[in-house]
Amino acid sequence: QVQLVESGGGSVQAGGSLRLSCAAYGFAYSNYCRAWFRQAPGKEREGVARITADGRAFYADSVKGRFTISQDNAKNTLYLEMNALEPEDTAMYYCAEVFSVYCPSFAPGAFDYWGQGTQVTVSS
């Protein structure tokens, strides 16, 4: 059974930075897609960034140039580096994973495992 444990959320002023971490525990296969999602009050859950086992990364237009997704395979840990944060980035952030050779979209239903969520609050 795979378990995802998130950390790194908090409060920051506009223009600041945060680094989120997601540690993965349990069995794993070589082919996977891992992603970060976020959900703000009154809004749908949306994909932020996703990455394949071989390091191919994809980003939502709203965060391109500001956020970077990365991973440490030895530690089975996923990261999201967030820079130039804006109040609009305020949301609960979730990591997710699916064991698949494909990583085609940000559809939440495509991911089998989810973290508990970590709150990010950006103030002006």
Short mmCIF file of all heavy atoms in Angstrom, two decimals, residues 35-96:
data_model
loop_
_atom_site.label_atom_id
_atom_site.label_comp_id
_atom_site.label_asym_id
_atom_site.label_seq_id
_atom_site.Cartn_x
_atom_site.Cartn_y
_atom_site.Cartn_z
N ALA A 35 2.18 14.01 -9.20
CA ALA A 35 1.65 15.32 -9.49
C ALA A 35 1.35 16.10 -8.22
O ALA A 35 1.16 15.53 -7.15
CB ALA A 35 0.38 15.21 -10.34
N TRP A 36 1.29 17.42 -8.38
CA TRP A 36 0.80 18.33 -7.36
C TRP A 36 -0.51 18.94 -7.85
O TRP A 36 -0.59 19.42 -8.99
CB TRP A 36 1.80 19.44 -7.06
CG TRP A 36 3.01 18.99 -6.31
CD1 TRP A 36 4.22 18.67 -6.82
CD2 TRP A 36 3.12 18.82 -4.90
NE1 TRP A 36 5.09 18.31 -5.81
CE2 TRP A 36 4.43 18.40 -4.62
CE3 TRP A 36 2.23 19.00 -3.82
CZ2 TRP A 36 4.88 18.14 -3.32
CZ3 TRP A 36 2.68 18.74 -2.54
CH2 TRP A 36 3.99 18.32 -2.30
N PHE A 37 -1.50 18.91 -6.99
CA PHE A 37 -2.78 19.57 -7.23
C PHE A 37 -3.00 20.62 -6.15
O PHE A 37 -2.37 20.60 -5.10
CB PHE A 37 -3.93 18.56 -7.20
CG PHE A 37 -3.97 17.63 -8.37
CD1 PHE A 37 -3.14 16.52 -8.43
CD2 PHE A 37 -4.85 17.85 -9.42
CE1 PHE A 37 -3.19 15.65 -9.51
CE2 PHE A 37 -4.91 17.00 -10.50
CZ PHE A 37 -4.08 15.89 -10.55
N ARG A 38 -3.93 21.52 -6.40
CA ARG A 38 -4.33 22.47 -5.38
C ARG A 38 -5.82 22.75 -5.49
O ARG A 38 -6.42 22.62 -6.55
CB ARG A 38 -3.53 23.78 -5.48
CG ARG A 38 -3.82 24.61 -6.73
CD ARG A 38 -2.88 25.81 -6.79
NE ARG A 38 -3.14 26.66 -7.94
CZ ARG A 38 -2.39 27.69 -8.29
NH1 ARG A 38 -1.31 28.01 -7.57
NH2 ARG A 38 -2.71 28.42 -9.35
N GLN A 39 -6.40 23.14 -4.37
CA GLN A 39 -7.81 23.47 -4.34
C GLN A 39 -8.03 24.65 -3.40
O GLN A 39 -7.75 24.56 -2.21
CB GLN A 39 -8.66 22.28 -3.90
CG GLN A 39 -10.14 22.52 -4.03
CD GLN A 39 -10.95 21.24 -3.90
OE1 GLN A 39 -10.48 20.25 -3.35
NE2 GLN A 39 -12.16 21.25 -4.43
N ALA A 40 -8.51 25.74 -3.96
CA ALA A 40 -8.83 26.93 -3.20
C ALA A 40 -10.30 26.92 -2.82
O ALA A 40 -11.11 26.24 -3.48
CB ALA A 40 -8.51 28.19 -4.01
N PRO A 41 -10.69 27.64 -1.78
CA PRO A 41 -12.10 27.67 -1.39
C PRO A 41 -13.00 28.08 -2.54
O PRO A 41 -12.75 29.07 -3.23
CB PRO A 41 -12.13 28.71 -0.27
CG PRO A 41 -10.75 28.67 0.31
CD PRO A 41 -9.85 28.44 -0.87
N GLY A 42 -14.04 27.30 -2.76
CA GLY A 42 -15.00 27.60 -3.80
C GLY A 42 -14.55 27.27 -5.21
O GLY A 42 -15.25 27.61 -6.17
N LYS A 43 -13.41 26.62 -5.36
CA LYS A 43 -12.89 26.30 -6.68
C LYS A 43 -12.68 24.80 -6.84
O LYS A 43 -12.60 24.06 -5.87
CB LYS A 43 -11.57 27.04 -6.93
CG LYS A 43 -11.71 28.54 -7.05
CD LYS A 43 -10.39 29.18 -7.43
CE LYS A 43 -10.55 30.68 -7.65
NZ LYS A 43 -11.41 30.96 -8.82
N GLU A 44 -12.61 24.37 -8.09
CA GLU A 44 -12.33 22.98 -8.40
C GLU A 44 -10.87 22.65 -8.10
O GLU A 44 -10.00 23.53 -8.13
CB GLU A 44 -12.62 22.69 -9.88
CG GLU A 44 -14.05 22.94 -10.31
CD GLU A 44 -14.95 21.77 -10.01
OE1 GLU A 44 -14.47 20.62 -10.02
OE2 GLU A 44 -16.14 22.00 -9.77
N ARG A 45 -10.61 21.38 -7.83
CA ARG A 45 -9.24 20.94 -7.68
C ARG A 45 -8.56 21.00 -9.05
O ARG A 45 -9.10 20.52 -10.04
CB ARG A 45 -9.18 19.52 -7.12
CG ARG A 45 -7.78 19.03 -6.83
CD ARG A 45 -7.78 17.73 -6.03
NE ARG A 45 -8.44 17.92 -4.74
CZ ARG A 45 -8.44 17.01 -3.78
NH1 ARG A 45 -7.81 15.85 -3.95
NH2 ARG A 45 -9.07 17.25 -2.64
N GLU A 46 -7.38 21.60 -9.09
CA GLU A 46 -6.69 21.78 -10.35
C GLU A 46 -5.26 21.26 -10.26
O GLU A 46 -4.60 21.37 -9.24
CB GLU A 46 -6.67 23.25 -10.77
CG GLU A 46 -5.93 24.17 -9.82
CD GLU A 46 -5.82 25.60 -10.33
OE1 GLU A 46 -6.10 25.84 -11.51
OE2 GLU A 46 -5.43 26.47 -9.53
N GLY A 47 -4.79 20.71 -11.37
CA GLY A 47 -3.42 20.27 -11.45
C GLY A 47 -2.46 21.44 -11.54
O GLY A 47 -2.73 22.42 -12.23
N VAL A 48 -1.34 21.34 -10.85
CA VAL A 48 -0.32 22.37 -10.83
C VAL A 48 0.91 21.95 -11.63
O VAL A 48 1.40 22.69 -12.47
CB VAL A 48 0.07 22.72 -9.39
CG1 VAL A 48 1.22 23.72 -9.37
CG2 VAL A 48 -1.12 23.28 -8.64
N ALA A 49 1.41 20.76 -11.35
CA ALA A 49 2.59 20.23 -12.03
C ALA A 49 2.58 18.72 -11.91
O ALA A 49 2.06 18.17 -10.95
CB ALA A 49 3.87 20.81 -11.43
N ARG A 50 3.16 18.04 -12.90
CA ARG A 50 3.29 16.59 -12.83
C ARG A 50 4.62 16.19 -13.45
O ARG A 50 5.19 16.92 -14.26
CB ARG A 50 2.11 15.89 -13.52
CG ARG A 50 2.00 16.13 -15.02
CD ARG A 50 0.69 15.52 -15.54
NE ARG A 50 0.64 15.44 -17.00
CZ ARG A 50 0.19 16.40 -17.79
NH1 ARG A 50 -0.27 17.53 -17.27
NH2 ARG A 50 0.17 16.24 -19.11
N ILE A 51 5.09 15.00 -13.08
CA ILE A 51 6.40 14.55 -13.51
C ILE A 51 6.39 13.04 -13.67
O ILE A 51 5.75 12.33 -12.91
CB ILE A 51 7.49 15.01 -12.50
CG1 ILE A 51 8.89 14.75 -13.05
CG2 ILE A 51 7.28 14.34 -11.15
CD1 ILE A 51 9.98 15.44 -12.22
N THR A 52 7.10 12.54 -14.67
CA THR A 52 7.23 11.12 -14.92
C THR A 52 8.45 10.57 -14.21
O THR A 52 9.29 11.32 -13.70
CB THR A 52 7.34 10.83 -16.42
OG1 THR A 52 8.54 11.44 -16.93
CG2 THR A 52 6.15 11.39 -17.18
N ALA A 53 8.56 9.24 -14.19
CA ALA A 53 9.68 8.60 -13.52
C ALA A 53 11.01 9.01 -14.13
O ALA A 53 12.03 9.09 -13.42
CB ALA A 53 9.53 7.09 -13.57
N ASP A 54 11.02 9.28 -15.43
CA ASP A 54 12.26 9.67 -16.09
C ASP A 54 12.47 11.18 -16.12
O ASP A 54 13.37 11.67 -16.80
CB ASP A 54 12.33 9.09 -17.51
CG ASP A 54 11.21 9.57 -18.41
OD1 ASP A 54 10.35 10.33 -17.94
OD2 ASP A 54 11.21 9.19 -19.59
N GLY A 55 11.65 11.93 -15.38
CA GLY A 55 11.90 13.35 -15.17
C GLY A 55 11.24 14.32 -16.11
O GLY A 55 11.56 15.52 -16.08
N ARG A 56 10.34 13.86 -16.96
CA ARG A 56 9.61 14.79 -17.83
C ARG A 56 8.55 15.53 -17.02
O ARG A 56 7.71 14.91 -16.37
CB ARG A 56 8.97 14.04 -18.99
CG ARG A 56 9.98 13.52 -20.01
CD ARG A 56 9.31 12.69 -21.09
NE ARG A 56 8.81 11.44 -20.57
CZ ARG A 56 7.57 11.00 -20.75
NH1 ARG A 56 6.71 11.70 -21.46
NH2 ARG A 56 7.21 9.82 -20.24
N ALA A 57 8.58 16.85 -17.05
CA ALA A 57 7.71 17.68 -16.23
C ALA A 57 6.74 18.49 -17.07
O ALA A 57 7.07 18.92 -18.19
CB ALA A 57 8.55 18.62 -15.37
N PHE A 58 5.56 18.72 -16.51
CA PHE A 58 4.51 19.48 -17.17
C PHE A 58 3.88 20.42 -16.15
O PHE A 58 3.72 20.05 -14.98
CB PHE A 58 3.43 18.55 -17.74
CG PHE A 58 3.98 17.46 -18.62
CD1 PHE A 58 4.39 16.26 -18.06
CD2 PHE A 58 4.10 17.63 -19.98
CE1 PHE A 58 4.90 15.24 -18.85
CE2 PHE A 58 4.61 16.62 -20.79
CZ PHE A 58 5.02 15.43 -20.22
N TYR A 59 3.51 21.63 -16.58
CA TYR A 59 3.02 22.65 -15.67
C TYR A 59 1.73 23.27 -16.17
O TYR A 59 1.51 23.41 -17.38
CB TYR A 59 4.05 23.76 -15.49
CG TYR A 59 5.35 23.30 -14.89
CD1 TYR A 59 6.40 22.90 -15.69
CD2 TYR A 59 5.51 23.27 -13.51
CE1 TYR A 59 7.60 22.47 -15.13
CE2 TYR A 59 6.70 22.85 -12.94
CZ TYR A 59 7.74 22.45 -13.76
OH TYR A 59 8.92 22.04 -13.20
N ALA A 60 0.91 23.68 -15.22
CA ALA A 60 -0.23 24.51 -15.56
C ALA A 60 0.26 25.89 -16.00
O ALA A 60 1.28 26.38 -15.51
CB ALA A 60 -1.16 24.65 -14.35
N ASP A 61 -0.47 26.50 -16.92
CA ASP A 61 -0.06 27.80 -17.42
C ASP A 61 0.08 28.84 -16.31
O ASP A 61 0.94 29.72 -16.38
CB ASP A 61 -1.06 28.31 -18.46
CG ASP A 61 -0.99 27.54 -19.76
OD1 ASP A 61 0.03 26.87 -20.02
OD2 ASP A 61 -1.96 27.60 -20.54
N SER A 62 -0.74 28.74 -15.29
CA SER A 62 -0.75 29.74 -14.24
C SER A 62 0.51 29.75 -13.38
O SER A 62 0.78 30.73 -12.69
CB SER A 62 -1.98 29.54 -13.34
OG SER A 62 -1.96 28.26 -12.74
N VAL A 63 1.30 28.67 -13.44
CA VAL A 63 2.48 28.59 -12.59
C VAL A 63 3.78 28.46 -13.37
O VAL A 63 4.86 28.42 -12.76
CB VAL A 63 2.38 27.43 -11.58
CG1 VAL A 63 1.09 27.54 -10.77
CG2 VAL A 63 2.46 26.08 -12.28
N LYS A 64 3.71 28.40 -14.68
CA LYS A 64 4.91 28.27 -15.49
C LYS A 64 5.87 29.43 -15.22
O LYS A 64 5.46 30.59 -15.18
CB LYS A 64 4.56 28.22 -16.97
CG LYS A 64 3.98 26.90 -17.42
CD LYS A 64 3.68 26.91 -18.92
CE LYS A 64 3.10 25.58 -19.37
NZ LYS A 64 2.75 25.60 -20.80
N GLY A 65 7.13 29.10 -15.03
CA GLY A 65 8.13 30.10 -14.74
C GLY A 65 8.27 30.45 -13.28
O GLY A 65 9.24 31.12 -12.90
N ARG A 66 7.32 30.02 -12.45
CA ARG A 66 7.36 30.32 -11.02
C ARG A 66 7.53 29.07 -10.16
O ARG A 66 8.20 29.11 -9.13
CB ARG A 66 6.08 31.04 -10.58
CG ARG A 66 5.86 32.38 -11.27
CD ARG A 66 4.71 33.15 -10.65
NE ARG A 66 3.44 32.43 -10.76
CZ ARG A 66 2.70 32.06 -9.72
NH1 ARG A 66 3.09 32.34 -8.48
NH2 ARG A 66 1.55 31.42 -9.91
N PHE A 67 6.93 27.96 -10.57
CA PHE A 67 6.98 26.71 -9.81
C PHE A 67 7.87 25.70 -10.53
O PHE A 67 7.91 25.67 -11.77
CB PHE A 67 5.59 26.10 -9.65
CG PHE A 67 4.65 26.86 -8.76
CD1 PHE A 67 4.94 28.14 -8.31
CD2 PHE A 67 3.45 26.28 -8.37
CE1 PHE A 67 4.07 28.84 -7.50
CE2 PHE A 67 2.57 26.96 -7.55
CZ PHE A 67 2.87 28.24 -7.11
N THR A 68 8.53 24.85 -9.76
CA THR A 68 9.35 23.78 -10.32
C THR A 68 9.05 22.48 -9.58
O THR A 68 9.15 22.43 -8.36
CB THR A 68 10.85 24.10 -10.21
OG1 THR A 68 11.14 25.33 -10.89
CG2 THR A 68 11.67 22.98 -10.83
N ILE A 69 8.71 21.44 -10.33
CA ILE A 69 8.50 20.13 -9.75
C ILE A 69 9.78 19.32 -9.93
O ILE A 69 10.43 19.38 -10.98
CB ILE A 69 7.29 19.41 -10.37
CG1 ILE A 69 6.97 18.12 -9.61
CG2 ILE A 69 7.50 19.14 -11.85
CD1 ILE A 69 5.65 17.48 -10.02
N SER A 70 10.15 18.57 -8.91
CA SER A 70 11.36 17.75 -8.98
C SER A 70 11.19 16.56 -8.05
O SER A 70 10.22 16.47 -7.30
CB SER A 70 12.60 18.56 -8.61
OG SER A 70 12.52 19.04 -7.28
N GLN A 71 12.14 15.63 -8.10
CA GLN A 71 12.06 14.46 -7.25
C GLN A 71 13.45 13.96 -6.91
O GLN A 71 14.40 14.13 -7.67
CB GLN A 71 11.24 13.35 -7.93
CG GLN A 71 11.79 12.90 -9.28
CD GLN A 71 10.79 12.05 -10.05
OE1 GLN A 71 9.82 11.55 -9.49
NE2 GLN A 71 11.02 11.90 -11.34
N ASP A 72 13.55 13.31 -5.75
CA ASP A 72 14.75 12.63 -5.32
C ASP A 72 14.40 11.15 -5.29
O ASP A 72 13.74 10.68 -4.37
CB ASP A 72 15.18 13.12 -3.94
CG ASP A 72 16.49 12.52 -3.49
OD1 ASP A 72 16.85 11.41 -3.92
OD2 ASP A 72 17.19 13.18 -2.68
N ASN A 73 14.82 10.42 -6.31
CA ASN A 73 14.44 9.02 -6.43
C ASN A 73 14.98 8.17 -5.28
O ASN A 73 14.33 7.22 -4.85
CB ASN A 73 14.90 8.46 -7.77
CG ASN A 73 14.14 9.04 -8.94
OD1 ASN A 73 12.98 9.42 -8.81
ND2 ASN A 73 14.79 9.10 -10.09
N ALA A 74 16.17 8.49 -4.80
CA ALA A 74 16.75 7.72 -3.70
C ALA A 74 15.92 7.84 -2.44
O ALA A 74 15.87 6.90 -1.64
CB ALA A 74 18.19 8.17 -3.45
N LYS A 75 15.28 8.98 -2.24
CA LYS A 75 14.46 9.21 -1.05
C LYS A 75 12.97 9.01 -1.31
O LYS A 75 12.17 9.17 -0.39
CB LYS A 75 14.69 10.63 -0.52
CG LYS A 75 16.11 10.90 -0.05
CD LYS A 75 16.25 12.32 0.46
CE LYS A 75 17.65 12.59 0.95
NZ LYS A 75 17.81 14.00 1.44
N ASN A 76 12.61 8.69 -2.55
CA ASN A 76 11.20 8.57 -2.93
C ASN A 76 10.40 9.80 -2.51
O ASN A 76 9.30 9.70 -1.96
CB ASN A 76 10.57 7.31 -2.33
CG ASN A 76 10.94 6.05 -3.09
OD1 ASN A 76 11.10 6.08 -4.31
ND2 ASN A 76 11.05 4.94 -2.38
N THR A 77 10.96 10.96 -2.78
CA THR A 77 10.35 12.21 -2.37
C THR A 77 10.12 13.13 -3.55
O THR A 77 11.01 13.30 -4.40
CB THR A 77 11.23 12.92 -1.32
OG1 THR A 77 11.41 12.07 -0.19
CG2 THR A 77 10.58 14.21 -0.87
N LEU A 78 8.94 13.70 -3.60
CA LEU A 78 8.53 14.66 -4.61
C LEU A 78 8.57 16.05 -4.02
O LEU A 78 8.20 16.25 -2.86
CB LEU A 78 7.12 14.32 -5.09
CG LEU A 78 6.49 15.20 -6.16
CD1 LEU A 78 7.17 14.95 -7.51
CD2 LEU A 78 4.99 14.93 -6.25
N TYR A 79 8.98 17.04 -4.81
CA TYR A 79 9.09 18.42 -4.34
C TYR A 79 8.33 19.36 -5.26
O TYR A 79 8.15 19.09 -6.45
CB TYR A 79 10.55 18.87 -4.29
CG TYR A 79 11.44 18.03 -3.42
CD1 TYR A 79 12.26 17.05 -3.97
CD2 TYR A 79 11.46 18.22 -2.04
CE1 TYR A 79 13.09 16.28 -3.17
CE2 TYR A 79 12.28 17.45 -1.23
CZ TYR A 79 13.10 16.49 -1.80
OH TYR A 79 13.91 15.72 -1.00
N LEU A 80 7.89 20.46 -4.69
CA LEU A 80 7.35 21.56 -5.47
C LEU A 80 7.97 22.85 -4.93
O LEU A 80 7.68 23.26 -3.81
CB LEU A 80 5.83 21.62 -5.38
CG LEU A 80 5.18 22.71 -6.25
CD1 LEU A 80 5.36 22.38 -7.73
CD2 LEU A 80 3.69 22.86 -5.91
N GLU A 81 8.83 23.46 -5.73
CA GLU A 81 9.44 24.73 -5.39
C GLU A 81 8.57 25.85 -5.93
O GLU A 81 8.34 25.91 -7.14
CB GLU A 81 10.85 24.81 -5.96
CG GLU A 81 11.79 23.73 -5.46
CD GLU A 81 13.11 23.69 -6.19
OE1 GLU A 81 13.37 24.60 -7.02
OE2 GLU A 81 13.91 22.77 -5.95
N MET A 82 8.09 26.70 -5.06
CA MET A 82 7.17 27.76 -5.43
C MET A 82 7.84 29.10 -5.17
O MET A 82 8.21 29.41 -4.04
CB MET A 82 5.87 27.64 -4.64
CG MET A 82 5.19 26.29 -4.79
SD MET A 82 3.58 26.22 -3.94
CE MET A 82 4.13 26.37 -2.24
N ASN A 83 7.99 29.89 -6.22
CA ASN A 83 8.59 31.21 -6.14
C ASN A 83 7.62 32.27 -6.62
O ASN A 83 6.65 31.97 -7.32
CB ASN A 83 9.87 31.27 -6.97
CG ASN A 83 10.92 30.28 -6.51
OD1 ASN A 83 11.27 30.24 -5.34
ND2 ASN A 83 11.43 29.48 -7.44
N ALA A 84 7.90 33.53 -6.28
CA ALA A 84 7.06 34.65 -6.69
C ALA A 84 5.59 34.36 -6.39
O ALA A 84 4.72 34.56 -7.24
CB ALA A 84 7.27 34.97 -8.16
N LEU A 85 5.34 33.90 -5.19
CA LEU A 85 3.98 33.51 -4.82
C LEU A 85 3.04 34.71 -4.82
O LEU A 85 3.42 35.82 -4.47
CB LEU A 85 3.99 32.85 -3.45
CG LEU A 85 4.51 31.40 -3.45
CD1 LEU A 85 4.88 30.97 -2.04
CD2 LEU A 85 3.45 30.47 -4.03
N GLU A 86 1.82 34.44 -5.22
CA GLU A 86 0.77 35.44 -5.31
C GLU A 86 -0.40 35.03 -4.42
O GLU A 86 -0.56 33.84 -4.13
CB GLU A 86 0.29 35.57 -6.76
CG GLU A 86 1.41 35.87 -7.75
CD GLU A 86 0.97 35.70 -9.18
OE1 GLU A 86 -0.15 35.20 -9.43
OE2 GLU A 86 1.75 36.08 -10.08
N PRO A 87 -1.22 35.99 -3.99
CA PRO A 87 -2.39 35.61 -3.19
C PRO A 87 -3.27 34.58 -3.89
O PRO A 87 -3.90 33.75 -3.22
CB PRO A 87 -3.13 36.94 -3.02
CG PRO A 87 -2.04 37.96 -3.05
CD PRO A 87 -1.06 37.45 -4.07
N GLU A 88 -3.31 34.60 -5.21
CA GLU A 88 -4.09 33.64 -5.98
C GLU A 88 -3.57 32.21 -5.85
O GLU A 88 -4.27 31.27 -6.21
CB GLU A 88 -4.14 34.04 -7.46
CG GLU A 88 -4.92 35.31 -7.75
CD GLU A 88 -4.17 36.58 -7.35
OE1 GLU A 88 -2.94 36.54 -7.16
OE2 GLU A 88 -4.84 37.63 -7.21
N ASP A 89 -2.35 32.04 -5.34
CA ASP A 89 -1.80 30.71 -5.12
C ASP A 89 -2.29 30.09 -3.82
O ASP A 89 -2.00 28.92 -3.55
CB ASP A 89 -0.27 30.75 -5.12
CG ASP A 89 0.31 31.17 -6.45
OD1 ASP A 89 -0.17 30.67 -7.49
OD2 ASP A 89 1.25 32.00 -6.45
N THR A 90 -2.98 30.85 -3.00
CA THR A 90 -3.50 30.33 -1.73
C THR A 90 -4.44 29.16 -1.99
O THR A 90 -5.41 29.28 -2.73
CB THR A 90 -4.22 31.43 -0.97
OG1 THR A 90 -3.28 32.45 -0.60
CG2 THR A 90 -4.87 30.88 0.29
N ALA A 91 -4.14 28.02 -1.38
CA ALA A 91 -4.93 26.81 -1.59
C ALA A 91 -4.41 25.69 -0.70
O ALA A 91 -3.33 25.80 -0.11
CB ALA A 91 -4.87 26.37 -3.06
N MET A 92 -5.18 24.61 -0.63
CA MET A 92 -4.68 23.37 -0.09
C MET A 92 -3.97 22.63 -1.22
O MET A 92 -4.55 22.43 -2.29
CB MET A 92 -5.82 22.53 0.47
CG MET A 92 -5.36 21.26 1.19
SD MET A 92 -4.62 21.60 2.81
CE MET A 92 -6.09 21.98 3.76
N TYR A 93 -2.74 22.24 -0.98
CA TYR A 93 -1.94 21.56 -1.99
C TYR A 93 -1.84 20.08 -1.67
O TYR A 93 -1.56 19.69 -0.54
CB TYR A 93 -0.54 22.18 -2.08
CG TYR A 93 -0.52 23.49 -2.82
CD1 TYR A 93 -1.05 24.64 -2.25
CD2 TYR A 93 0.03 23.58 -4.10
CE1 TYR A 93 -1.05 25.84 -2.93
CE2 TYR A 93 0.04 24.78 -4.78
CZ TYR A 93 -0.50 25.91 -4.19
OH TYR A 93 -0.48 27.11 -4.88
N TYR A 94 -2.05 19.24 -2.68
CA TYR A 94 -2.03 17.79 -2.55
C TYR A 94 -1.02 17.18 -3.51
O TYR A 94 -0.89 17.64 -4.64
CB TYR A 94 -3.40 17.18 -2.87
CG TYR A 94 -4.54 17.70 -2.03
CD1 TYR A 94 -5.25 18.84 -2.42
CD2 TYR A 94 -4.94 17.04 -0.88
CE1 TYR A 94 -6.30 19.32 -1.67
CE2 TYR A 94 -6.00 17.51 -0.12
CZ TYR A 94 -6.68 18.64 -0.52
OH TYR A 94 -7.73 19.11 0.23
N CYS A 95 -0.35 16.13 -3.08
CA CYS A 95 0.44 15.34 -4.02
C CYS A 95 -0.34 14.07 -4.35
O CYS A 95 -1.17 13.60 -3.57
CB CYS A 95 1.83 15.01 -3.48
SG CYS A 95 1.88 14.03 -1.96
N ALA A 96 -0.08 13.53 -5.53
CA ALA A 96 -0.80 12.37 -6.01
C ALA A 96 0.12 11.51 -6.87
O ALA A 96 1.10 12.00 -7.43
CB ALA A 96 -2.03 12.79 -6.82
#
